[in-house]
Amino acid sequence: MVELYSDRLKLRSLKEEDWPYFLALNLDPEINQFVRIPESEEVIRKKFIERSASWLYSSGDWLTLAIETIDSGEFVGLTGLHCQHFEEQRAEVGYLLLKEHHGKGYASESLQAVVDWACLRFEVHKFVGHCAKDNIASARVLEKCGFQLEGVHREQFKIGDVWLDELSFGLLAHERQR
């Protein structure tokens, strides 16, 4: 069970009562416009079960944490990380927020909490983050947390019939904001 805190947020392991929010986030075409075509409820449920299970960093599986406000306990979204390469001490980060919580700084605040925790807990040397080139808000979150643009992968992934360029960002542990 993981539980992290920032000034305004609590990040915690998924619970069964998070299922409706997890489903809503993964079904919303607007939220997923730069991520994927929404999958079937059956596929999303399987992901939820996998990401709700106990987690081990070295497994390479995603740790998915629910984000909620400290003051009201309102569900904000999801954040997390996975070990991309254990020996090279590299982890990938990600986040997905409900539309009504966009633009409030919650993605940056939760990402910063995950980065700080992973540095201390797992001695991560480098964090990576990816987003579609057109996802300006997501790129801004990474930059706000100190990530630097390291490259553009042209037509890296496809959503429907559209090929999208992907931005790759990196943050070295000793460069992180404290």
Side-chain angles (χ1 to χ4, degrees), residues 12-178:
R12 58 164 177 77
S13 299
L14 289 174
K15 301 182 214 174
E16 185 58 36
E17 51 266 28
D18 297 322
W19 165 242
Y21 301 113
F22 190 93
L23 180 63
L25 277 167
N26 282 278
L27 283 179
D28 189 306
E30 187 178 340
I31 291 172
N32 286 281
Q33 68 180 322
F34 300 118
V35 181
R36 70 181 72 82
I37 291 177
E39 299 160 308
S40 71
E41 185 172 335
E42 181 181 332
V43 169
I44 296 168
R45 181 66 182 173
K46 184 178 179 210
K47 281 184 184 178
F48 179 77
I49 291 167
E50 290 169 357
R51 293 184 180 194
S52 299
S54 58
W55 176 79
L56 181 63
Y57 177 70
S58 60
S59 71
D61 294 332
W62 273 94
L63 168 66
T64 302
L65 300 171
I67 307 167
E68 55 187 33
T69 59
I70 290 176
D71 59 351
S72 67
E74 184 178 5
F75 185 93
V76 170
L78 303 169
T79 191
L81 84 157
H82 79 94
C83 176
Q84 207 180 53
H85 196 288
F86 189 75
E87 291 80 19
E88 294 179 5
Q89 298 169 271
R90 188 174 58 246
E92 183 177 355
V93 294
Y95 39 85
L96 202 60
L97 273 59
L98 294 170
K99 285 183 286 199
E100 59 266 27
H101 296 295
H102 289 185
K104 297 180 181 178
Y106 291 151
S108 301
E109 189 173 331
S110 65
L111 177 58
Q112 193 65 56
V114 168
V115 165
D116 290 345
W117 172 72
C119 278
L120 295 171
R121 181 74 173 85
F122 304 112
E123 298 178 357
V124 174
H125 171 72
K126 183 176 184 174
F127 294 90
V128 295
H130 305 280
C131 66
K133 185 178 178 183
D134 294 336
N135 192 345
I136 296 165
S138 187
R140 180 68 189 116
V141 166
L142 291 162
E143 291 169 343
K144 189 175 175 184
C145 290
F147 284 70
Q148 295 179 33
L149 179 63
E150 294 186 340
V152 178
H153 303 279
R154 297 175 306 131
E155 297 186 5
Q156 181 72 3
F157 64 102
K158 192 175 184 182
I159 298 179
D161 295 331
V162 180
W163 284 100
L164 298 171
D165 294 348
E166 182 176 64
L167 302 178
S168 290
F169 290 86
L171 173 68
L172 301 177
H174 69 272
E175 297 172 335
R176 77 185 200 277
Q177 301 166 354
R178 297 175 207 271

